[in-house]
Amino acid sequence: MVLALALGLVGCATARASIHSKDAIVVGVKADQPGLGHRTNGVFRGFEVDVGSYIARHLGASRVTFREVRSDNREDKLNSRAVDLVLASYSITPDRAKLVSFAGPYYVAHQDVMVRRGETRIRGVRDLAGRKMCQASGSVSTERVVVGLGIPTRLVPGSSYSDCVAKLRAGAVDAVSTGDLVLAGFAAQDLRIVNAPFTDERYGVAMRKGDVDGCEAVNRALTTMYQDGTAGRLLHKWFGKSGLKLVQEVPQFEGCS
């Protein structure tokens, strides 16, 4: 009887810990990535902000708020319970999956390269050899270029992708490389994406490790989001003018564990 009671209490604690059972949800998003997550006059706007709101409503939350996260503190914000979910161009990787649980992906982006408009020497990732490329703190994108593909770039550290873009505009680096949705938000008259994608970036919805119920509930919400046309509308709203080929089918999900 004691063992049964103990197991029952553990089960209740697990249920209470699930994001699926929360009435108020805090979503961690970027504050400096136009198109995905950007804060203007104290208000967060972007594709990931809208997707976070959609998920929270489908989880049954009556209140959703947003809080800034960076690439180098996403795990810390989750595990310290400062946020409940993270949607912040958070690519699913085996190492990250040891620290948090991922639902989704909610979108499969493709890593590409952005340069200053008028730059003709860089036409693809191989042309980054010997060039200065910005390395955003906490991101794995530059590792895919330097380690994964073995391209000897000259890395210049940046605190974030907005910092990297500022360095690109200032001429301190020759290129910025990451997922095309991130780049699309920054692309403007003076910058362009070379449109030579070379990897996939599976953007996941992160939550505290082991929340299987919450993960499965988020996957159900994402499936509905694609099936009811919301995903397509949001992608067109935020990236329709970018020229990117936007995928509007439900991505293949990772298993919840």
Side-chain angles (χ1 to χ4, degrees):
M1 289 181 63
V2 173
L3 178 59
L5 179 59
L7 290 174
L9 291 174
V10 170
C12 290
T14 301
R16 284 196 300 271
S18 176
I19 186 68
H20 190 30
S21 63
K22 295 199 68 172
D23 182 58
I25 291 177
V26 182
V27 182
V29 294
K30 294 288 186 71
D32 61 351
Q33 288 187 348
L36 284 172
H38 191 259
R39 184 170 52 200
T40 305
N41 297 324
V43 178
F44 288 94
R45 301 178 70 249
F47 176 67
E48 291 175 327
V49 177
D50 288 346
V51 173
S53 294
Y54 185 97
I55 291 170
R57 289 198 304 271
H58 277 257
L59 292 179
S62 62
R63 183 162 53 94
V64 56
T65 56
F66 296 91
R67 185 167 294 173
E68 179 184 359
V69 298
R70 304 187 310 271
S71 293
D72 59 1
N73 70 3
R74 290 174 291 204
E75 293 93 351
D76 291 342
K77 291 291 186 180
L78 269 175
N79 293 322
S80 68
R81 300 184 180 272
V83 300
D84 301 303
L85 296 174
V86 170
L87 290 92
S89 56
Y90 203 177
S91 297
I92 300 170
T93 68
D95 286 342
R96 288 171 173 172
K98 295 175 184 176
L99 304 174
V100 300
S101 287
F102 282 108
Y106 55 90
Y107 194 79
V108 181
H110 304 285
Q111 188 165 342
D112 212 317
V113 178
M114 188 163 68
V115 297
R116 289 181 293 277
R117 193 169 294 277
E119 169 63 75
T120 59
R121 299 166 297 174
I122 301 176
R123 300 179 182 178
V125 67
R126 296 289 173 186
D127 297 326
L128 294 177
R131 309 282 183 195
K132 289 184 288 185
M133 181 175 67
C134 191
Q135 182 177 30
S137 177
S139 172
V140 297
S141 295
T142 49
E143 183 178 333
R144 292 193 182 103
V145 175
V146 178
V147 179
L149 297 177
I151 298 173
T153 65
R154 297 158 58 193
L155 295 179
V156 176
S159 60
S160 63
Y161 277 111
S162 59
D163 184 34
C164 283
V165 170
K167 284 178 165 57
L168 179 61
R169 285 196 163 105
V173 298
D174 300 306
V176 175
S177 180
T178 189
D180 50 13
L181 287 190
V182 177
L183 297 179
F186 286 111
Q189 253 188 343
D190 57 334
L191 302 174
R192 67 178 180 88
I193 302 172
V194 301
N195 282 316
F198 55 93
T199 66
D200 292 342
E201 293 215 28
R202 299 168 61 80
Y203 291 158
V205 182
M207 62 204 74
R208 282 179 281 279
K209 185 67 178 173
D211 186 1
V212 176
D213 288 345
C215 176
E216 291 175 345
V218 171
N219 280 344
R220 289 193 294 271
L222 292 174
T223 299
T224 303
M225 184 182 76
Y226 274 87
Q227 291 177 340
D228 68 12
T230 299
R233 288 193 295 272
L234 293 179
L235 286 166
H236 180 77
K237 171 185 175 181
W238 293 106
F239 305 107
K241 297 179 180 179
S242 68
L244 294 177
K245 184 179 180 181
L246 299 168
V247 180
Q248 299 184 27
E249 291 78 34
V250 184
Q252 182 176 349
F253 292 154
E254 300 286 321
C256 292
S257 60

